[in-house]
Amino acid sequence: MNFLLETLQVLLMSLVYSLEAFVRLFIPPRKKNVSGEIVLLTGAGSGIGRLMALEFARLGAHLVLWDINEDGNKETARMIKETHGARAYTYTCDCSDREEVYRIANQVKREVGDITILINNAGIVTGKKFLESPDSLIEKSMEVNSLSHFWMYKAFLPAMIAANHGHLVSIASSAGLIGVNGLADYCASKFAAVGFAESMALELLAMGCDGVKTTIVCPFFINTGMFDGANTKWPRIMPILEPEYACRKIVDAVRREQVYVYMPRSIYIAIVLKKLSENYTGTCLQCQRLLEIESACISYLTQ
Ligand SMILES: NC(=O)c1ccc[n+]([C@@H]2O[C@H](COP(=O)([O-])OP(=O)(O)OC[C@H]3O[C@@H](n4cnc5c(N)ncnc54)[C@H](O)[C@@H]3O)[C@@H](O)[C@H]2O)c1
């Protein structure tokens, strides 16, 4: 195809997809049934990991719970049993340890079966200015928040590709879209998580593997305790999210096979502002400083 035709095709298809996205704002796709799916969640022992586990159990999915915190993980399984009468399989695993991931993944395949929905949720934050952060903690952030996703995909994606069925969910952050003062290593790890999940989604499409879906989740602060003390300058526009709300949005997005989930919606505006001012580096950074993401974070760091 010649250059002109290809350019026209790209422009036309962009228009078609934009129109489709617009229509979907008013008529969202139907939610898929996740009953009987085998869902693996990392970081299932607390926060939104626990809430998502409970929600997927309510919807009839089989749960495989991974966490480094054995007690928290068992508590999630107990809550699932108590609330939904279902058994959840618990595994104590440090998902940043590649060999441990591969070993426990093999155990899961033997004991439960192939995972069909993988939710990379485990995450940590250093909570210090970059130059004050110990090297070991910076490395750990990268290992837990992004590198672990590589090992999880390596362990569980081949079976999804073979069946052309599955769903990969990356719990990243709005800090994976916009740099934030005081969260340098966290942002770097979340930018990596977003870039990895997006690239893998494209790799799967290019392979013709259209049955394996991807959802990339980028929330602002959630009231789980991870960012205790953070507050927001404009709570109406950029509220600190309630964990139950965030969980509901994520599970809905997975069921509707939505690729990107930014929460709250004002994150979309922040991204547009950032992109608009990116032509002028100085202004872009000054403009970004005005975003309340910045002030929320400073209040967290100065606790
Ligand atoms: N809380 C927020 O404000 C917020 C905002 C945006 C994104 N996120 C992301 O959402 C995810 C969940 O966060 P949360 O708020 O529920 O935090 P949380 O601290 O309540 O939960 C994180 C869980 O991950 C587990 N974990 C940590 N390191 C692990 C490891 N190496 N291996 C296995 N498990 C490990 C912890 O034990 C914990 O149970 C994280 O990836 C976080 O970065 C959180």
Side-chain angles (χ1 to χ4, degrees), residues 142-156:
M142 294 304 292
E143 284 169 5
V144 177
N145 298 353
S146 39
L147 271 178
S148 74
H149 298 197
F150 298 3
W151 320 139
M152 297 299 288
Y153 271 48
K154 283 248 172 138
F156 296 109

